[in-house]
Amino acid sequence: MNSDAVTKSVPQRALFHALGFTNEELERPIIGIVSSQNEIVPGHMNLDKIVEAVKTGVSIAGGTPIVFPAIAVCDGLAMGHRGMKYSLITRELIADSTEAMALAHAFDALVMVPNCDKNVPGLLMAAARLNIPTIFVSGGPMLAGLVDGQKTSFSSVSEASGAYRAGKITKEKLLEFENKVCPTCGSCSGMYTANSMNCLTEALGMGLRGNGTVPAVYSQRLQLAKHAGMQIMELLKKNIRPRDIMTEDAFKNALTIDMALGCSTNSMLHLPAIAHECGISIDLNIANEISDKTPNLCHLAPAGHTYMEDLNVAGGVYAVMNEISKLGLLKTDLMTCTGKTVGENIADCPVLDYDVIRPVENPYSKTGGIAVLKGNLAPDACVVKRSAVAPEMLKHEGPARVFDCEEDAIEAITSGKIVAGDVVVIRYEGPKGGPGMREMLNPTSAIMGSGLGGSVALITDGRFSGATRGAAIGHVSPEAAVGGNIALVEEGDIIKIDIMANTIDFAVSDEELKKRRKNWKPRTPRITEGCLSRYAALVTSANRGAVLELK
């Protein structure tokens, strides 16, 4: 089906005329522009300008652009309260609503204009599901803030809050962080989830060069948007579709660049979910296989002291891909939205600053930025951002301090009840148990701000913000709500973590586990009405991407 279904019928043309469209416009291909602009997400407040630039590009290239909306939640604003339960679910709502709008109105092609955490993967899922020519252009990252002459970002103010509660900084210094860490519009300036997914959109081949790194406030971002508008007409002409681009090999490329960049652990939720819509299954075991041979070349905030603007100047995602390709780790003959192959795209894109993007001969580590752990605590999988873990915490053993919700854990941390050596376990926060699988930047920031980042680990069946650093291990599967072993952990159990060996266990015999399981009973659902209750009924486990399936 194409736009002829709505532009060749007299009654439907009458409705287009009611919108102000001319006969000349209705003779052109109808290009849907999915605008995620709103006034509550800092990364989305500028998307109206990006959308106008895309419209200009489409018109220049001979198409008729028509805009419709997509929602987006600001994870930072939703953090630490009931609102965070509504973040991950928006990924599915975005995919579903975009599918409905695109098919109901018979668009010939789409330009997706997202920027933040669930908005990008939700629209990638929709693109895969619809499989009509599609290109992405994001709103771009925020510039870094500046405190005490040092670049800084959103994670710094979260940790500063913990430091203030611990009496380590003054109220005046805390207010300075508040006022200076987020100086512009855009997705927060470190390699958090939004920027991770925008960079991986480039790596997948669905966004033009610079999509992940050109700052939101640069005029170059508007030029990029115009080029995306022009390029969608080429994709339509050549009938290059998302599933022609997002192949199994393309996802392996994306996972490889994920490891090289040190992306957010949330990519381990989103890449499998996007692949699922393409009819491709990603077993998280492959992440470790790729990580074992992929060096980590970047330590962007929160792992280090470089930011998205620095990565952009250093050559961006294509430069990282160029550098990694020296090891033969990328499939370079794959088609991309440029109309060229990966190899053609990255051929003339060398690294311009080896302090930001390390050479493959001198990486931050010889293995990738993310590790998938397994053991009797997480029989299916759990995930950690290895590149953001202090060396002394790569192997840790300590007593479990068990909490059945995020709030109880935060109270214990901020009141000084957690001490060096402890392993904080937060459960019943998974996709079903939350429901909604909340991000837990607040407890991790409280641990870091209290000076315990080098001595306390945190484990959860929930997930972590891309701004999280430290031994923060999430996505424990199976989750507590379905009787996963994390539900059987008791206060004081000794937990053994070995991130380099990819293992996580608690020192309890099989016989004792059987006894505990016999006594375990499912919890009453926390939410029994509205969209979250439907989500809880349909959502799968985190190791499968928390996709929805009819039971």
Side-chain angles (χ1 to χ4, degrees):
M1 184 175 70
N2 59 28
S3 63
D4 286 354
V6 293
T7 59
K8 301 304 181 185
S9 160
V10 170
Q12 288 160 321
R13 287 174 69 88
L15 293 172
F16 276 105
H17 293 318
L19 291 165
F21 287 101
T22 64
N23 289 330
E24 291 81 0
E25 287 173 298
L26 297 183
E27 294 304 312
R28 299 176 174 182
I30 305 299
I31 310 300
I33 302 175
V34 185
S35 171
S36 305
Q37 194 271 337
N38 63 43
E39 296 183 349
I40 190 63
V41 185
H44 291 231
M45 64 179 286
N46 64 318
L47 294 190
D48 54 340
K49 296 177 177 61
I50 304 296
V51 166
E52 286 303 314
V54 171
K55 290 175 68 177
T56 298
V58 170
S59 296
I60 288 171
T64 296
I66 301 179
V67 180
F68 66 89
I71 63 170
V73 161
C74 177
D75 277 18
L77 290 173
M79 196 74 65
H81 58 91
R82 179 187 173 105
M84 181 48 73
K85 295 178 183 289
Y86 289 87
S87 172
L88 185 57
I89 189 176
T90 63
R91 189 185 71 178
E92 320 307 316
L93 296 174
I94 289 163
D96 290 350
S97 59
T98 301
E99 174 194 357
M101 288 292 288
L103 293 180
H105 302 108
F107 289 103
D108 292 302
L110 295 173
V111 182
M112 306 293 199
V113 186
N115 210 27
C116 287
D117 295 30
K118 311 308 166 301
N119 187 238
V120 179
L123 290 178
L124 282 165
M125 290 166 67
R129 193 182 298 174
L130 291 162
N131 203 35
I132 61 176
T134 303
I135 196 168
F136 278 66
V137 56
S138 77
M142 185 184 292
L143 294 179
L146 201 65
V147 176
D148 297 330
Q150 300 293 318
K151 287 184 180 180
T152 188
S153 61
F154 179 69
S155 57
S156 300
V157 72
S158 298
E159 292 182 16
S161 295
Y164 172 70
R165 286 191 296 268
K168 295 180 179 292
I169 64 171
T170 65
K171 180 67 175 293
E172 289 72 24
K173 179 57 68 175
L174 178 62
L175 289 176
E176 184 180 358
F177 274 96
E178 176 187 326
N179 288 310
K180 292 184 177 179
V181 298
C182 296
T184 69
C185 63
S187 47
C188 294
S189 56
M191 188 54 81
Y192 309 144
T193 305
N195 292 324
S196 294
M197 294 311 302
N198 282 320
C199 287
L200 294 179
T201 299
E202 276 192 66
L204 274 170
M206 290 296 292
L208 299 178
R209 182 183 181 185
N211 180 70
T213 61
V214 174
V217 295
Y218 283 15
S219 296
Q220 185 185 353
R221 177 60 60 174
L222 298 177
Q223 296 167 343
L224 181 67
K226 290 175 184 177
H227 283 127
M230 296 179 211
Q231 185 59 23
I232 191 60
M233 300 305 295
E234 286 298 310
L235 294 175
L236 178 60
K237 186 186 303 182
K238 296 175 180 177
N239 195 30
I240 298 174
R241 300 173 181 241
R243 292 189 201 175
D244 300 325
I245 296 170
M246 292 193 287
T247 63
E248 184 172 352
D249 283 337
F251 281 101
K252 290 178 180 177
N253 277 358
L255 281 166
T256 299
I257 299 307
D258 189 331
M259 299 303 170
L261 285 169
C263 289
S264 164
T265 52
N266 282 313
S267 64
M268 294 295 103
L269 274 179
H270 300 321
L271 288 176
I274 299 160
H276 177 76
E277 296 291 349
C278 293
I280 298 167
S281 177
I282 293 182
D283 186 330
L284 285 189
N285 286 326
I286 197 175
N288 281 342
E289 294 174 19
I290 290 172
S291 181
D292 286 345
K293 57 188 177 183
T294 305
N296 177 225
L297 306 184
C298 300
H299 262 196
L300 294 143
H305 300 289
T306 52
Y307 295 82
M308 296 306 297
E309 62 199 69
D310 302 313
L311 179 60
N312 186 60
V313 172
V317 175
Y318 276 18
V320 176
M321 295 177 75
N322 183 302
E323 188 68 19
I324 284 293
S325 71
K326 295 176 182 178
L327 299 175
L329 298 178
L330 294 180
K331 293 280 188 177
T332 57
D333 59 346
L334 308 180
M335 180 51 60
T336 72
C337 70
T338 67
K340 300 177 181 179
T341 65
V342 170
E344 290 172 317
N345 286 343
I346 68 176
D348 298 316
C349 301
V351 173
L352 303 177
D353 186 343
Y354 278 114
D355 289 331
V356 177
I357 304 171
R358 289 274 188 94
V360 290
E361 300 84 4
N362 182 33
Y364 282 101
S365 67
K366 293 182 180 180
T367 54
I370 291 176
V372 176
L373 315 183
K374 286 189 177 183
N376 69 350
L377 185 55
D380 288 343
C382 60
V383 179
V384 63
K385 188 171 183 175
R386 178 164 53 195
S387 60
V389 179
E392 62 269 24
M393 289 300 291
L394 290 171
K395 192 171 185 178
H396 181 76
E397 181 175 325
R401 304 298 307 279
V402 183
F403 305 94
D404 287 350
C405 67
E406 178 187 4
E407 289 81 0
D408 289 350
I410 292 173
E411 192 281 328
I413 296 165
T414 56
S415 63
K417 296 175 183 176
I418 301 302
V419 299
D422 284 347
V423 179
V424 176
V425 177
I426 306 177
R427 60 193 183 188
Y428 295 100
E429 290 285 8
K432 284 185 179 293
M437 201 181 184
R438 288 193 286 181
E439 283 189 348
M440 303 204 184
L441 179 59
N442 286 356
T444 56
S445 296
I447 287 170
M448 299 303 295
S450 299
L452 295 172
S455 59
V456 169
L458 196 156
I459 299 170
T460 182
D461 53 7
R463 59 194 177 91
F464 293 110
S465 164
T468 293
R469 62 189 179 104
I473 300 165
H475 307 195
V476 170
S477 303
E479 63 175 289
V482 298
N485 283 355
I486 190 173
L488 308 181
V489 178
E490 294 182 358
E491 189 80 8
D493 284 346
I494 298 300
I495 294 179
K496 300 178 180 180
I497 302 162
D498 191 335
I499 293 173
M500 298 309 296
N502 302 317
T503 61
I504 183 166
D505 294 283
F506 62 127
V508 175
S509 68
D510 291 344
E511 184 179 345
E512 175 63 18
L513 277 179
K514 288 179 182 178
K515 179 181 175 182
R516 292 183 188 182
R517 181 166 300 285
K518 187 176 181 180
N519 293 327
W520 178 82
K521 295 179 181 178
R523 301 293 180 93
T524 302
R526 286 172 171 155
I527 294 177
T528 57
E529 58 187 14
C531 60
L532 274 176
S533 65
R534 296 193 297 275
Y535 180 82
L538 298 175
V539 71
T540 61
S541 65
N543 68 300
R544 296 183 56 203
V547 297
L548 304 186
E549 285 187 353
L550 293 173
K551 299 297 185 282

